[in-house]
Amino acid sequence: MLCKTGPMKISVVIPCYNERDTIAEIVSAVRTAPLSDIEIIVVDDGSTDGSRTILKRNVEPIADRVIYHGLNRGKGAALRSGFAAATGDIILVQDADLEYNPEEFPRLLEPILSGKADVVFGSRFAGGGPHRVVYFWHMIGNKLLTLLSNMCTNLNLTDMETCYKAFRASVVRNLDLRENRFGFEPEITAKVARARCRIYEVGISYDGRTYEEGKKITWRDGIRAFYAIIKYNFFVRDGSVVFSNENSLNESADAVGLGPRLKHS
């Protein structure tokens, strides 16, 4: 994979919470994704279902870094830990379930690799592949949150809440990210819009899962997302700060554990 300035290293950050049935499979899929230089960072956010046994036995040998949170703190907190550990030129977010397909990484990354974009959103509503039919009200909630976010940011996204987001690493490292849970999505959208990043959107496939299959997001997360849209577009308008590789002030030294950093050819 080449861009105008040569090969770029891709860091894929995978937050994981109670995903023992899928975490090894998704990490394997990311490892075999059609990219030439890929770094995999998994962040276990205090799993209690046996995911850590799978991570130590099956994932640590094929990932570049596995980070362990002592307590569950949320997706946003896990992503901050992953972003801090990333060493790539581009940082891409991948969920630990099987809803998003790593085979689509090249499509997602093309606008950045070609020099056109700083940030890319992978939209589940803009076509691009097959979609499993699941929850109607989740779709309505997603579209309402995306609409409200667009009204506040003056963007025209179709899927603000998507997991698949890719960033030039320099963008992420200059954002002061605060949300610990699913408020991460509207927060980072507001902040990349305010930073006047070049934002692209590409269609992706989506294999949504049910609550019986492990889906975790609830209506409470929708309320938090609504709050985060208002908060980060109107009330928290602080300047960007350089992202640090140190742990968050809310994390004690024993709350985060680092697995081995491995190298893969």
Side-chain angles (χ1 to χ4, degrees):
M1 300 291 291
L2 300 177
C3 71
K4 294 179 181 179
T5 58
M8 300 185 79
K9 181 179 181 180
I10 314 300
S11 293
V12 179
V13 178
I14 307 175
C16 172
Y17 175 64
N18 288 350
E19 297 287 3
R20 65 181 181 186
D21 294 330
T22 60
I23 184 60
E25 183 175 352
I26 196 63
V27 173
S28 295
V30 171
R31 177 55 68 200
T32 58
L35 298 175
S36 61
D37 190 1
I38 188 167
E39 173 185 59
I40 301 175
I41 299 170
V42 180
V43 184
D44 182 78
D45 190 36
S47 291
T48 58
D49 70 336
S51 292
R52 292 197 170 197
T53 300
I54 303 297
L55 288 168
K56 292 181 180 296
R57 183 178 65 212
N58 299 334
V59 173
E60 284 188 4
I62 61 174
D64 295 274
R65 174 70 66 90
V66 179
I67 300 171
Y68 297 94
H69 283 185
L71 298 172
N72 175 246
R73 298 180 54 237
K75 179 179 179 179
L79 288 174
R80 286 200 304 273
S81 293
F83 292 165
T87 63
D89 304 293
I90 298 172
I91 297 176
L92 186 155
V93 178
Q94 168 74 55
D95 276 353
D97 53 39
L98 303 175
E99 293 185 331
Y100 296 83
N101 185 1
E103 289 291 322
E104 298 181 350
F105 282 175
R107 181 190 307 167
L108 186 70
L109 295 172
E110 190 279 330
I112 297 178
L113 293 171
S114 63
K116 296 181 291 186
D118 303 306
V119 179
V120 179
F121 286 59
S123 173
R124 295 164 289 179
F125 304 119
H131 290 67
R132 182 181 178 184
V133 177
V134 279
Y135 297 117
F136 171 78
W137 289 111
H138 278 219
M139 178 195 68
I140 295 299
N142 191 313
K143 290 190 174 183
L144 288 174
L145 290 170
T146 298
L147 175 62
L148 177 61
S149 177
N150 285 344
M151 292 170 65
C152 297
T153 60
N154 197 30
L155 299 177
N156 64 343
L157 294 168
T158 65
D159 191 5
M160 177 271 296
E161 289 282 350
T162 180
C163 154
Y164 264 179
K165 293 180 175 71
F167 313 88
R168 291 186 180 275
S170 58
V171 169
V172 171
R173 293 184 182 120
N174 284 279
L175 295 177
D176 177 19
L177 299 173
R178 304 180 180 185
E179 286 293 308
N180 283 339
R181 289 181 55 80
F182 291 101
F184 164 83
E185 314 293 358
E187 177 193 12
I188 202 163
T189 301
K191 290 181 175 179
V192 297
R194 188 178 308 131
R196 298 186 181 276
C197 294
R198 298 171 299 165
I199 303 171
Y200 272 60
E201 191 175 54
V202 299
I204 58 170
S205 62
Y206 181 63
D207 187 14
R209 61 179 177 171
T210 65
Y211 285 104
E212 292 76 16
E213 294 167 333
K215 193 172 188 68
K216 297 178 178 66
I217 195 166
T218 70
W219 62 270
R220 293 181 180 84
D221 297 302
I223 292 175
R224 180 66 193 188
F226 176 88
Y227 170 81
I229 291 170
I230 302 303
K231 176 180 178 180
Y232 293 105
N233 281 286
F234 298 109
F235 296 102
V236 177
R237 302 184 63 86
D238 54 307
S240 299
V241 299
V242 177
F243 197 88
S244 171
N245 278 337
E246 297 176 355
N247 295 338
S248 165
L249 293 177
N250 293 325
E251 296 171 352
S252 63
D254 61 352
V256 177
L258 299 183
R261 180 179 290 279
L262 304 176
K263 299 296 183 183
H264 299 272
S265 57

